[in-house]
Amino acid sequence: DIVMTQTPLSSPVTLGQPASISCRSSQSLVHYDGNTYLSWLQQRPGQPPRLLIYKISNRFSGVPDRFSGSGAGTDFTLKISRVEAEDVGVYYCMQTTQFLTFGGGTKVEIK
Amino acid sequence: EVQLVESGGGLVQPGGSLRLSCVASGLTFSRFWMTWVRQAPGKGLEWVANIKGDGSVRYYVDSVKGRFTISRDNAKNSLYLEMNSLRVEDTAVYYCARWDYGPDYWGQGTLVTVSS
C-alpha cells in the first residue's frame, strides 16, 4: 500500500499570511497512463471533505485561486497564498494512483 | 448541481448488520465509479470500497473484505453498502462520493455506531 505522510500536523497562521502543507508518498505516484493522481481535500469543522485540487495542481470547480498545488513524483505541496478565516480546518492529501490512501491530515488554525 | 445523500446509519450491536444507502442527483450516475469512505470519530479518512459504473468491478479495503458488500442500482441512482459482522472498530461516519480522478463530490455522511 502507498503510505502518505503529511507535515506539519498543525499550522497556526496569521490571517492574510501564506500557509504551506507538504505531502510525501512512499512510492512514486506516476500512473502507467502518465498522470499523477495526487489530490488535496479540505474538511471544515463539522463538514464533509471537499475536493480542492486534483492531479497535483488542478483546482476543482468553485475553489478560490488562493489555493494552489505543486510537486512531482513523491513530494507535493498545497499552498494557501493568503489565509482567510473560512480556511480553518483539516487538509488531507490523497493518492488515487493505486486504489486510495489518505495522508494523516494537517490542521490549519488562526493564530 | 451534484448532490449525494446518505442514509441508513444508526446504533448496532457487535456482530450485527446495517445497510447504507446513497441517492445521487445532478449527474449521469451510471457513468461514474462510486466510492465509500469512512471517518472514525476524531480520526482521519479511510477508503472502504469502490464500484464501477456498471457494477461489474468492485474493490474493498482488506479490513472489510468478506463482511461488506458495495452495490448499486443505476435505475434508482443509488449506491449501497451492506455491512455484516460489524465490529466496534467499524464505528465511523460513512461518506459516499463520486469518483472521477478520485473522490470529488461527497455526501454529508451517515454515522454508524457499533456498540453493546
Side-chain angles (χ1 to χ4, degrees):
Chain A
D1 290 5
I2 297 177
V3 177
M4 307 297 288
T5 303
Q6 285 183 236
T7 55
L9 290 179
S10 177
S11 179
V13 185
T14 301
L15 286 174
Q17 293 300 302
S20 180
I21 300 169
S22 295
C23 177
R24 177 167 289 177
S25 57
S26 59
Q27 61 192 78
S28 174
L29 297 185
V30 179
H31 194 268
Y32 67 79
D33 67 6
N35 290 304
T36 299
Y37 295 103
L38 184 284
S39 302
W40 291 94
L41 301 170
Q42 174 197 62
Q43 189 173 31
R44 292 169 172 154
Q47 294 295 311
R50 167 198 179 198
L51 180 65
L52 295 177
I53 303 283
Y54 64 96
K55 290 201 295 181
I56 302 178
S57 59
N58 296 274
R59 274 188 299 276
F60 192 57
S61 174
V63 175
D65 60 8
R66 65 178 180 274
F67 291 94
S68 64
S70 63
T74 61
D75 288 283
F76 306 92
T77 302
L78 175 71
K79 291 184 179 176
I80 310 173
S81 59
R82 295 172 304 279
V83 171
E84 298 187 4
E86 65 179 17
D87 299 336
V88 166
V90 180
Y91 290 77
Y92 296 93
C93 62
M94 69 174 180
Q95 68 81 22
T96 50
T97 292
Q98 185 183 107
F99 292 109
L100 165 58
T101 50
F102 297 93
T106 295
K107 189 173 186 178
V108 170
E109 51 195 358
I110 305 301
K111 278 183 184 174
Chain B
E1 179 191 5
V2 175
Q3 288 197 326
L4 301 167
V5 180
E6 302 95 335
S7 61
L11 174 63
V12 61
Q13 291 188 337
S17 299
L18 216 51
R19 188 194 198 208
L20 306 184
S21 299
C22 170
V23 178
S25 60
L27 74 163
T28 305
F29 184 67
S30 61
R31 290 178 60 185
F32 292 93
W33 284 75
M34 296 294 293
T35 190
W36 287 99
V37 172
R38 66 185 179 183
Q39 186 170 35
K43 302 296 185 183
L45 300 166
E46 180 185 36
W47 167 70
V48 175
N50 276 12
I51 186 168
K52 194 177 179 181
D54 62 5
S56 62
V57 181
R58 310 173 196 203
Y59 298 112
Y60 300 91
V61 68
D62 285 347
S63 60
V64 309
K65 281 180 185 174
R67 300 189 300 124
F68 289 12
T69 302
I70 188 171
S71 63
R72 64 193 296 160
D73 184 338
N74 287 343
K76 295 181 179 179
N77 280 5
S78 293
L79 175 72
Y80 306 102
L81 187 66
E82 188 77 39
M83 304 186 295
N84 298 314
S85 303
L86 282 161
R87 305 168 179 167
V88 171
E89 55 266 33
D90 295 319
T91 294
V93 174
Y94 284 73
Y95 298 102
C96 72
R98 188 186 82 164
W99 184 291
D100 197 351
Y101 299 111
D104 51 12
Y105 291 98
W106 296 65
Q108 290 292 317
T110 186
L111 175 62
V112 172
T113 303
V114 185
S115 174
S116 54

